[in-house]
């Protein structure tokens, strides 16, 4: 959600570098966190590209308690996190979302009294930011956790709070979004006893300030009600925001309010702690076109109420980025003749499945939230037409079942090709429907080439990504 803040601030520093008073104003706004909490043993620096951790904090300090609810003395928590990899060619970037409920290993982190914690295993990722119970959070601990998880050195870490996000969206004149259905106050706060007033009408609209914050934070009113669904919506919002900022151009009159609002709400590592350093960082971003900025979520699956990171897919993704390759396995600069890159083979059976011309309905036959949406996304990626997603009449399905009506057996077999072990079931209703079961919830979405991947031989990343140049109204499945 906050990636555009980093780019926007950097662009405006670049645009206004010649105006001394502006430079000193922005320089005075910037706050840093102490570097002594960063782990002593870290991955080696890489000459190929750089990595920036962007954390959206829901800390209630300052004026944030008025925007996000909660008490101003609450412990700082991370609401959203992206790892942004900027490629060595200076023309490509990819942002990897880390779900806040992901189960990870949190390495030793420094406490406010100077002592260090013990390693915590199988713990939610957002717990790292709360280590030490500080109202402003613990960015260094989040950075340590990302470095341990990815094997990649984080060059910079940036934290942005509610107030900064709200002010920034207002400064750019709002952001275009598309809402697939009417949304009410009760959707934003499921603890309300009534539906409340409408806060978003169905359709295309422009949001800013508190409305923009409500849109990216909402979970229960639109989509599948999961944090994963919210991440997809946030990625779409970030794409729309970046497009808006870059479309305005390097205009100091337009961008100065943007930079002033953002720098007042940023907490950064010492490596970005001045306008000089932000200017240097801006130079690494200014040549990146929108269609060369992609967003992806780390490979995941539900594990009860939490999120498990799927292996070896995730390690394959990190290996690809460590090698400074784009998600298609190529070098960012277009180099094609790398002898370490594995030759393409016929690929797994799923890759040969094409659903062109096949319509299918999807039903979640389990109590795992978001499973139907996950199956729908996989079907769409293979060109199936998904006519709708819903909850099955029974939510106790162990295996996945593909149901088909009169004359639809051939189409049902095509659908079953995406769900290994699925059973075919003839029914009286027309068409084809897939009811996903617990076996689908538990199975990692791995691929043959990902299974054999090593850091020396990164391959094409199969997970779905989104370009920053995508129109937010082109696909409402994230909504």
């Amino acid at each position: 959600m906050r990636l555009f803040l980093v780019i926007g601030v950097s662009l405006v520093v670049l645009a206004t570098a010649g105006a001394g008073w502006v430079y000193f104003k922005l320089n005075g706004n910037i706050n840093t966190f102490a570097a002594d909490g960063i782990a002593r043993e870290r991955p080696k620096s890489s000459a190929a590209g750089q990595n920036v951790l962007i954390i959206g904090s829901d800390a209630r300090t300052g004026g944030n308690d008025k925007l996000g609810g909660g008490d101003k003395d609450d412990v700082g928590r991370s609401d959203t996190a992206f790892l942004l990899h900027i490629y060595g060619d200076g023309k490509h970037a990819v942002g990897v979302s880390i779900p806040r409920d992901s189960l990870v290993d949190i390495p030793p982190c420094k406490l406010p009294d100077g002592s260090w914690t013990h390693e915590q295993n199988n713990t939610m990722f957002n717990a790292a930011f709360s280590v030490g119970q500080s109202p402003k959070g613990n960015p260094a601990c989040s950075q340590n956790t990302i470095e341990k998880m990815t094997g990649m050195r984080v060059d910079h870490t940036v934290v942005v709070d509610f107030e900064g996000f709200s002010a920034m969206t207002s400064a750019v004149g709002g952001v275009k979004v598309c809402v697939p259905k009417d949304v009410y106050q009760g959707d934003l706060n499921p603890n309300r006893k009534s539906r409340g007033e409408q806060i978003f009408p169905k359709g295309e609209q422009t949001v800013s300030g508190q409305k923009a914050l409500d849109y990216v934070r909402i979970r229960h009113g639109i989509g599948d009600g999961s944090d994963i669904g919210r991440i997809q919506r946030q990625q779409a919002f970030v794409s729309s925001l970046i497009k808006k900022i870059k479309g305005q151009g390097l205009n100091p009159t337009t961008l100065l309010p943007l930079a002033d609002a953002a720098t007042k709400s940023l907490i950064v590592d010492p490596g970005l702690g001045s306008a000089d350093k932000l200017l240097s960082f801006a130079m690494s971003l200014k040549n990146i076109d929108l269609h060369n900025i992609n967003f992806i979520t780390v490979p995941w699956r539900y594990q009860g109420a939490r999120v498990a990171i799927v292996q070896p897919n995730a390690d394959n993704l990190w290996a690809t980025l460590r090698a400074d390759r784009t998600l298609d396995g190529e070098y960012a600069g277009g180099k094609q003749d790398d002898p370490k890159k594995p030759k393409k083979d016929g690929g797994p059976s799923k890759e040969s499945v094409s659903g062109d011309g096949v319509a299918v309905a999807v039903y979640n036959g389990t109590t795992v939230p978001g499973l139907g949406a996950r199956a729908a996304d996989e079907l769409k990626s293979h060109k199936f037409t998904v006519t709708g997603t819903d909850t099955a009449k029974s939510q106790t399905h162990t295996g996945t079942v593909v149901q088909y009506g009169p004359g639809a057996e051939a189409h049902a077999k095509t659908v079953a090709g995406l769900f290994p072990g699925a059973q075919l079931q003839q029914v009286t209703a027309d068409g084809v429907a897939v009811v996903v079961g617990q076996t689908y919830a538990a199975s990692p979405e791995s691929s043959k080439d990902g299974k054999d991947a090593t850091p020396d031989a990164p391959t094409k990343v199969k997970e779905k990504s989104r370009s920053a140049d995508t129109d937010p109204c082109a696909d409402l499945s994230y909504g």
Side-chain angles (χ1 to χ4, degrees):
M1 168 165 91
R2 274 68 171 191
L3 172 59
F4 78 95
L5 296 172
V6 182
I7 296 177
V9 174
S10 301
L11 288 174
V12 77
V13 172
L14 178 64
T16 59
W21 68 273
V22 172
Y23 181 88
F24 286 110
K25 178 179 177 64
L26 299 182
N27 198 64
N29 285 347
I30 301 170
N31 294 304
T32 62
F33 65 87
D36 58 356
I38 296 174
R40 299 177 180 87
E41 296 183 4
R42 305 177 60 193
K44 294 180 180 179
S45 297
S46 173
Q50 57 180 320
N51 304 299
V52 183
L53 176 62
I54 299 101
I55 301 171
S57 166
D58 66 356
R60 268 57 172 179
T61 54
N64 291 290
D65 56 316
K66 299 176 182 178
L67 294 170
D71 189 274
K72 64 181 180 180
D73 296 322
D74 281 352
V75 173
R77 297 179 178 86
S78 60
D79 185 67
T80 307
F82 286 100
L83 181 63
L84 174 68
H85 178 71
I86 303 163
Y87 289 90
D89 70 349
K91 297 179 180 179
H92 297 75
V94 59
V96 184
S97 295
I98 313 296
R100 62 183 184 177
D101 290 348
S102 300
L103 297 174
V104 301
D105 294 334
I106 299 177
C109 291
K110 188 175 183 180
L111 296 170
D113 65 4
S115 63
W116 287 72
T117 64
H118 295 291
E119 181 171 334
Q120 302 177 58
N121 301 116
N122 205 38
T123 303
M124 289 194 302
F125 171 72
N126 67 343
F129 193 76
S130 300
V131 167
Q133 305 294 294
S134 167
K136 290 188 176 181
N138 193 333
C141 188
S142 295
Q143 177 174 319
N144 295 344
T145 303
I146 288 291
E147 291 191 337
K148 178 178 177 61
M149 179 172 64
T150 66
M152 299 164 62
R153 191 180 186 94
V154 174
D155 299 286
H156 298 297
T157 294
V158 179
V159 182
V160 187
D161 60 25
F162 281 164
E163 192 171 25
F165 175 81
S166 177
M168 285 281 285
T169 57
S170 296
V172 299
V175 180
K176 174 184 172 183
V177 299
C178 282
V179 183
K181 58 182 286 189
D182 294 339
V183 178
Y184 296 84
Q185 289 175 323
D187 298 320
L188 181 62
N189 180 8
N191 295 321
R192 285 179 62 99
K193 295 182 180 179
S194 64
R195 186 172 70 167
E197 297 180 1
Q198 184 187 85
I199 54 177
F200 295 106
K202 177 181 178 179
E204 179 181 327
Q205 53 206 278
T206 298
V207 297
S208 62
Q210 180 71 60
K211 294 277 285 187
L213 185 61
D214 288 345
Y215 175 80
V216 296
R217 293 185 66 225
I218 212 165
R219 284 182 63 176
H220 301 281
I222 47 181
D224 61 7
S226 71
D227 194 48
I228 301 297
R230 186 173 69 158
I231 284 175
Q232 293 171 338
R233 188 165 61 256
Q234 289 172 350
Q235 289 174 344
F237 188 93
V238 168
S239 299
S240 187
L241 216 296
I242 293 175
K243 181 180 282 190
K244 180 72 174 286
I245 292 173
K246 298 204 79 169
Q248 290 177 337
L250 298 180
N251 184 335
T253 302
T254 303
L255 292 178
L256 178 57
L258 181 76
D260 188 41
T263 50
K264 288 177 180 177
S265 301
L266 290 180
I267 300 177
V268 299
D269 68 277
L272 288 179
S274 70
D276 270 336
K277 294 171 181 177
L278 272 177
L279 176 59
S280 177
F281 179 63
M283 298 301 292
S284 68
L285 301 174
K286 67 186 182 70
N287 292 325
I288 303 177
D289 292 331
L290 288 173
H291 66 274
N292 286 330
I293 303 175
N294 286 288
F295 298 97
I296 190 171
T297 302
V298 66
W300 64 276
R301 62 177 172 83
Y302 285 112
Q303 184 169 306
R306 304 302 179 210
V307 172
I309 293 177
V310 172
Q311 299 294 359
N313 301 45
D315 283 345
N316 181 41
L317 171 61
W318 307 134
T320 296
L321 298 184
R322 284 197 300 269
D324 204 42
R325 295 179 184 266
T326 52
L327 300 181
D328 60 3
E330 304 293 344
Y331 280 113
K335 186 176 178 180
Q336 304 290 328
D337 56 352
D338 177 32
K340 291 184 178 180
K341 183 183 176 184
K343 301 295 183 181
K344 295 181 179 179
D345 57 20
S349 59
K350 279 190 178 184
E351 298 305 304
S352 62
V353 176
S354 174
D356 194 13
V358 179
V360 57
V362 179
Y363 295 91
N364 186 351
T366 75
T367 58
V368 179
L371 195 63
R374 172 180 145 188
D377 284 343
E378 184 168 8
L379 286 159
K380 290 175 184 177
S381 71
H382 288 265
K383 299 184 179 180
F384 288 87
T385 299
V386 176
T387 58
T389 58
D390 205 344
T391 302
K393 292 181 180 179
S394 170
Q395 294 180 275
T396 59
H397 285 260
T398 301
T400 296
V401 177
V402 179
Q403 300 173 337
Y404 64 96
E409 184 176 1
H411 283 174
K413 289 181 178 179
T414 302
V415 172
L418 285 185
F419 302 93
Q423 293 183 341
L424 295 178
Q425 181 182 36
Q426 187 171 9
V427 295
T428 56
D430 292 334
V432 179
V434 57
V435 183
V436 290
Q438 284 291 340
T439 53
Y440 183 68
S443 62
E445 297 175 359
S446 59
S447 60
K448 183 177 180 180
D449 56 352
K451 190 178 296 182
D452 298 327
T454 67
D456 291 327
T459 55
K460 181 177 179 179
V461 174
K462 300 295 184 181
E463 278 66 33
K464 184 179 179 181
S465 65
R466 180 185 186 91
S467 168
D469 202 25
T470 303
D471 190 311
C473 295
D475 179 10
L476 291 181
S477 63
Y478 64 83

